[in-house]
Amino acid sequence: MDICARPRFGRLAATAVVLGAACMAPSGGTAAQERDAGGADWVVPRTPAGHPDLQGNWSNATVTPIQRPEGRDAAYTWEQVAEIEGRVRATVEEGYADSDPNREAPPVGGQFTGDPRFDAASGGTGGYNRFFIDAGELVAVFNGEPRTSLVVDPPNGRLPGLSDQGRERLAQRRRLRSRFGSFDNPENRPLAERCIMSFGSNAGPPMLPNYFYNNNYTIVQTPDHVLIMTEMVHDVRIIRLGEPKRLPAHIRPWMGDSWGRWEGDTLVVETTNLHPDQTLQGIPPSAEMKVTERFTRAGEHTINYEFTVEDPVMFTRPWRGEVPFNRLDGLVYEYACHEGNYALENVLRGARAEERRNRN
């Protein structure tokens, strides 16, 4: 698959890297996370139309997981935050340490995890080193509270259970996919590998961290549109403002049909008609799924991003999350993905060769 990533801005000079296919120059890393929302002297910047200015480059990279680990409270203490972020910084610094020039070559094979420490421990050569990884180094702080999960409702910070119909639909989907091998055809490969959509739910809605790299966004506003470009797989989501003129129910584009409106200083976006293959935490959406997002400038360096997922067909109840988006002190470059890349063709070619070998 395509390998395009970015170094962390400030740690390493901008470097052009070519890995088999043509990847564009890596982009800059995240700015320091703002710990306090707003401030007595801070004034919300506004567009010529008078609305809060959300424009610029932002990142939602964080070490806070989407779902809360069992047994945790809703918020960390600041002592716990210091301990967690200290461990992450130590790991990052270890990953940036100079390689031993006298080391032996790693063995062939092994498990790829994306973390060079674990790849080495598993006996694998790995696919990335720390230069390419920017999963986030800071706990998510929302309105001054360090969070243990991005999901805030249900109160346990975990996704609600599937409905009976949701479980049956998921089982049907799995039975259908089990009829094919994972390398039988290009349609069976993941959307991100085919450069159709971002890894995870990075492009959204809802827009969630991918916990690996490229958690960066560019927001552009006009009087009647808001555009959000996601660095991962360079998706551009177009949000129309005004009275919704919804697409017919049978038209379900990638990232859905998004319409926005201003409620005071908050941009509210409602999205329906999500594509059935655009899963959320592994769950395919039904035709009734709706995602409501709220964007509010909370400070010079922060957007408070809130979302609610409603899908009465798949889930037993709606669920809600809150994610801080932090100002990115750097540029967002093209994630070139498969353009000029032969990886997918070669993946399938390799699978056919393996099948011929096994028949013999």
Side-chain angles (χ1 to χ4, degrees), residues 36 42 57 84 93 120 125 129 136 138 151 154 182 219 279 295 310 334 358:
D36 297 310
W42 182 75
N57 296 334
I84 293 168
E93 294 302 328
T125 56
N129 58 28
L138 301 174
V151 172
S182 60
I219 299 179
T279 61
F295 299 77
E310 300 172 82
E334 179 189 8
N358 290 339

Side-chain angles (χ1 to χ4, degrees), residues 89-130:
R89 281 194 297 272
T91 300
V92 170
E93 294 302 328
E94 179 184 351
Y96 273 104
D98 293 338
S99 300
D100 179 4
N102 299 314
R103 68 193 185 282
E104 297 292 332
V108 175
Q111 180 67 36
F112 167 63
T113 68
D115 188 314
R117 300 170 303 144
F118 299 131
D119 289 335
S122 68
T125 56
Y128 291 76
N129 58 28
R130 178 59 64 176

Side-chain angles (χ1 to χ4, degrees), residues 240-256:
R240 290 169 287 180
L241 303 180
E243 188 66 28
K245 299 176 183 178
R246 291 292 180 187
L247 294 172
H250 68 282
I251 299 179
R252 299 173 66 181
W254 302 114
M255 297 175 283

